[in-house]
Amino acid sequence: GQNIDQPTEMTATEGAIVQINCTYQTSGFNGLFWYQQHAGEAPTFLSYNVLDGLEEKGRFSSFLSRSKGYSYLLLKELQMKDSASYLCACMDSNYQLIWGAGTKLIIKP
Amino acid sequence: IAGITQAPTSQILAAGRRMTLRCTQDMRHNAMYWYRQDLGLGLRLIHYSNTAGTTGKGEVPDGYSVSRANTDDFPLTLASAVPSQTSVYFCASSDSTGGHNEQFFGPGTRLTVL
């Protein structure tokens, strides 16, 4: 079956770095997405990886290893506004997104 | 309007009633999607439409129907609501369906079925 696993909750300190991991098993693979979702709001797009390696975008970076079925989202210089849920999603062979349950990130001062 | 809108924002509904959730986008996106989001679970696809005039079933289609008469609108109908359909419903759209086509989400509809 298809499965996306990510930690339920993580805590980090303002100004620090945090890495949110995601492992996946899907029927086919057409890319991996990360979205941010603040409480009570809609998900918003952060990053897309389809080739192995690191994609950097400001304070956020996303890494993909297709052979390991693994990705991570790296957040640097954490700010209080980064407190949110981070959703990992894989695009399967039918170009449908399969979503993880999300990782709730709590930032402490 | 700019982007994707949904109505109503929230609704309390008696079991057995019929309900239509509205979704409109002004980005001229070809593909549209309906998801439900429940605590502890990932977003689950209910129905999708790759282009106007076509629809398809997602992971959890039972009890729901959709139509796509034009590019902009993608309503979701619950023919006879049940308590298990209590959820937050998100509509999304993307330019097309392949590869790097991020989905843009509406603000969501919080539905409670009693």
Side-chain angles (χ1 to χ4, degrees):
Chain A
Q2 305 197 102
N3 195 50
I4 311 289
D5 284 319
Q6 50 182 134
T8 302
E9 187 175 295
M10 299 182 70
T11 302
T13 304
E14 189 177 16
I17 299 173
V18 70
Q19 178 175 311
I20 303 173
N21 296 324
C22 172
T23 58
Y24 64 88
Q25 286 181 305
T26 55
S27 57
F29 181 81
N30 282 297
L32 187 141
F33 294 77
W34 284 96
Y35 279 75
Q36 180 189 60
Q37 185 177 25
H38 285 100
E41 297 183 8
T44 55
F45 170 79
L46 287 178
S47 68
Y48 171 77
N49 295 67
V50 68
L51 300 176
D52 286 357
L54 188 69
E55 294 279 345
E56 297 186 76
K57 191 184 294 185
R59 294 189 298 113
F60 292 8
S61 303
S62 56
F63 172 83
L64 176 67
S65 169
R66 293 182 62 156
S67 62
K68 296 182 178 178
Y70 167 70
S71 173
Y72 67 72
L73 181 70
L74 191 72
L75 292 73
K76 302 177 185 176
E77 301 170 13
L78 285 169
Q79 302 175 10
M80 297 304 293
K81 68 179 182 179
D82 297 330
S83 292
S85 288
Y86 292 85
L87 314 182
C88 174
C90 286
M91 183 169 280
D92 68 11
S93 57
N94 295 316
Y95 296 100
Q96 301 295 350
L97 285 179
I98 309 301
W99 296 82
T103 298
K104 182 178 181 180
L105 179 63
I106 299 168
I107 310 295
K108 295 186 174 180
Chain B
I1 51 174
I4 185 165
T5 59
Q6 294 183 235
T9 302
S10 66
Q11 182 75 44
I12 300 174
L13 190 66
R17 298 296 296 269
R18 181 183 179 88
M19 175 75 191
T20 295
L21 308 185
R22 299 185 298 280
C23 175
T24 299
Q25 53 102 0
D26 66 354
M27 298 176 283
R28 307 304 293 171
H29 282 171
N30 287 309
M32 297 187 75
Y33 314 85
W34 273 106
Y35 292 96
R36 60 178 290 173
Q37 188 174 40
D38 302 290
L39 198 63
L41 299 177
L43 288 161
R44 290 183 291 168
L45 184 65
I46 304 170
H47 285 286
Y48 65 93
S49 170
N50 289 335
T51 189
T54 70
T55 62
K57 293 181 178 181
E59 179 186 356
V60 289
D62 294 344
Y64 306 95
S65 63
V66 292
S67 61
R68 187 89 185 277
N70 57 59
T71 297
D72 299 346
D73 302 301
F74 191 43
L76 176 74
T77 298
L78 288 68
S80 179
V82 295
S84 61
Q85 292 178 311
T86 293
S87 188
V88 179
Y89 291 85
F90 286 103
C91 179
S93 71
S94 63
D95 187 36
S96 68
T97 56
H100 186 185
N101 280 287
E102 63 185 274
Q103 293 183 12
F104 294 82
F105 284 79
T109 294
R110 185 174 296 274
L111 182 67
T112 302
V113 182
L114 302 176

